[in-house]
Amino acid sequence: MLNPLDAPAAVSAAAEPLEDLLDDCNHVASVGLFHVVPATGTAPGPDRMGRLAQAVYDAGPSGYRVGTPVEPFESPQAWREVLRRQVTDGFMQPSRRYSDPGLRTPAQIRRTGELADGVCDLIEAHLGPVRCSGDVDGPHTGSIQWRNLLLVTDDWATVMAFGIDD
């Protein structure tokens, strides 16, 4: 396994080609991780996941306070499908923001899915298999649309943030 604490920098570098495919003339796509923190404890639940999300935000300078419960997705791997769906036909795809569906070719859309899968694989290479995941609120200054996902492995927790900025 790769060094878990290197995951945010590695994901930022790996996400650049994906972000380039999702950028357009007015908006910039971003995909990244917040800090990585140790995650030890028992079964996932809204209270534990909320505490883990808060620990991730507390590890950085954001000062953000988690305000809503973090409900785990039914499938631990649902986070992968959430990212893939958003970059291939969701809010991150430029054709969703403009009336021109031809902004991206089918090959480019397929490539965004492949790159998203690669980012997910890299996260798990650094942290281990994600055992629990769910939507979490969080800082999103300047973002037009965004989504934050708490990712919890046997040993680590982080928040993956992705969105569209002006």
Side-chain angles (χ1 to χ4, degrees), residues 10-22:
V11 168
S12 289
E16 285 180 19
L18 175 60
E19 294 166 344
D20 289 345
L21 278 172
L22 297 168

Side-chain angles (χ1 to χ4, degrees), residues 39-88:
T40 55
T42 59
D47 290 340
R48 177 174 181 247
M49 291 188 62
R51 287 191 305 274
L52 286 171
Q54 190 60 61
V56 170
Y57 294 140
D58 289 347
S62 77
Y64 187 82
R65 305 304 304 165
V66 175
T68 59
V70 182
E71 293 290 337
F73 294 139
E74 283 194 30
S75 166
Q77 294 296 305
W79 67 280
R80 286 175 163 270
E81 181 55 33
V82 169
L83 178 62
R84 184 178 239 288
R85 186 175 47 251
Q86 292 305 335
V87 302
T88 58

Side-chain angles (χ1 to χ4, degrees), residues 87-109:
V87 302
T88 58
D89 66 1
F91 75 84
M92 294 194 65
Q93 200 42 250
S95 60
R96 294 290 182 197
R97 296 187 296 277
Y98 299 99
S99 60
D100 181 5
L103 284 173
R104 296 293 184 267
T105 66
Q108 289 171 317
I109 293 170

Side-chain angles (χ1 to χ4, degrees), residues 118-141:
V119 168
C120 293
D121 291 343
L122 181 65
I123 290 169
E124 290 192 317
H126 277 275
L127 305 179
V130 172
R131 304 285 186 211
C132 184
S133 60
D135 281 305
V136 63
D137 60 348
H140 53 88
T141 305

